[in-house]
Amino acid sequence: MGYAEPVSEIESRLLILRERIADACARAGRDPSSVSLMGVSKNHPPASVAEAVRCGLRLFGENRIQEAKAKIPACAADLEWHFIGHLQSNKVRDAVDLFRVVQGVDTLDIAEALAKQAAKRDRIQPVLLEVNVSGEPSKFGWDPDRLIEALPGLGGMDRLAIRGLMTIAPYTEDPELARPVFRRLRELRDRCSERLGTALPVLSMGMSGDMEVAIEEGSTLVRIGTGLFGERPVPQ
Ligand SMILES: *Cc1c(COP(=O)(O)O)cnc(C)c1O
């Protein structure tokens, strides 16, 4: 018997997130275990990651290699890290060493560079292909038609395991406006899966502001920063 530990902010936010996921799954007739929750820890210190780990989270995302190089070794060793940023060719080696999954593969050149580094390590690198569904000029990612054209080349890289697609929806005040983007990513996933002749189980879509809509449209992995860790501190 004793007093309960005070609930940390991260712990209470995580409870809210789990409820939001469960509610969205209930609306969509999905099992909540079919949606992975990723903590996006960019700009947050290892201590914040440690608190999320204490609360049961195991999956984390970072979008800058330099930051990840310092942070990941300072965190628990048994976590799963995904790279969710834009990967430059001179950072491919670090990405393969640091991350279990590279989300955001957006060109054949980057795919080839990843495959080469994976081969050197005698490994198969799991990746997601980033799609710029909305065609925003400021965003990285495949144009959907170009992706279809590139599939034979991508599918032929036997050191890459293409696990699915990821997208970042345009920022809007009203998450309903993101629904067509998420729906199109799911439809594109189905087309790609048919063309490749393999299952593409992962749909990485949905962030703090639009995760419910993404889940209703089939997301299997939501990437949550502010909704878990609070407002991002300005990077040092
Ligand atoms: C920062 C970031 C997120 C998290 O965004 P929030 O709105 O803080 O949840 C998700 N995905 C990517 C690719 C990001 O860069």
Side-chain angles (χ1 to χ4, degrees):
M1 293 255 293
Y3 295 106
E5 291 269 321
V7 176
S8 72
E9 281 190 79
I10 286 173
E11 184 166 17
S12 57
R13 289 198 199 98
L14 195 54
L15 288 170
I16 292 168
L17 288 166
R18 299 259 186 234
E19 256 170 51
R20 286 173 62 188
I21 291 172
D23 288 349
C25 282
R27 281 195 298 279
R30 298 183 56 191
D31 184 336
S33 70
S34 67
V35 181
S36 302
L37 171 58
M38 165 188 285
V40 177
S41 48
K42 63 187 185 198
N43 298 12
H44 292 281
S48 297
V49 174
E51 176 56 13
V53 171
R54 190 190 68 79
C55 301
L57 209 62
R58 278 279 172 288
L59 174 62
F60 293 91
E62 284 285 331
N63 72 335
R64 285 167 53 235
I65 296 289
Q66 276 316 112
E67 187 177 342
K69 249 176 143 168
K71 191 181 300 177
I72 292 176
C75 295
D78 59 341
L79 307 180
E80 179 169 329
W81 291 91
H82 292 197
F83 186 68
I84 60 169
H86 174 66
L87 190 55
Q88 291 165 318
S89 51
N90 62 342
K91 301 281 168 62
V92 166
R93 194 171 298 145
D94 285 331
V96 169
D97 287 336
L98 288 164
F99 293 95
R100 170 90 183 100
V101 177
V102 177
Q103 303 194 6
V105 171
D106 57 1
T107 63
L108 277 172
D109 285 350
I110 285 294
E112 268 161 13
L114 284 164
K116 193 174 141 197
Q117 292 301 326
K120 275 192 186 169
R121 291 157 180 76
D122 198 21
R123 277 173 36 194
I124 292 184
Q125 176 64 49
V127 298
L128 303 184
L129 306 172
E130 179 172 1
V131 183
N132 186 354
V133 176
S134 53
E136 288 173 282
S138 61
K139 279 215 174 98
F140 293 106
W142 295 91
D143 167 87
D145 293 333
R146 299 289 91 72
L147 176 58
I148 296 285
E149 290 167 14
L151 276 182
L154 289 163
M157 296 182 196
D158 56 6
R159 287 290 165 176
L160 293 192
I162 304 172
R163 307 295 308 282
L165 305 183
M166 84 86 97
T167 199
I168 304 172
Y171 177 80
T172 59
E173 287 292 327
D174 178 5
E176 268 309 314
L177 298 175
R179 189 180 295 277
V181 168
F182 296 140
R183 186 168 298 170
R184 282 171 64 196
L185 192 74
R186 185 190 63 208
E187 290 166 355
L188 184 63
R189 186 275 307 270
D190 294 344
R191 278 177 72 195
C192 291
S193 172
E194 201 179 292
R195 296 261 174 140
L196 285 170
T198 51
L200 297 174
V202 182
L203 273 179
S204 172
M205 58 188 197
M207 312 191 346
S208 298
D210 56 19
M211 59 177 253
E212 282 91 347
V213 176
I215 290 168
E216 288 167 19
E217 294 300 328
S219 173
T220 68
L221 192 162
V222 290
R223 308 179 309 264
I224 306 298
T226 46
L228 178 64
F229 293 113
E231 287 302 317
R232 272 186 281 284
V234 179
Q236 286 89 13

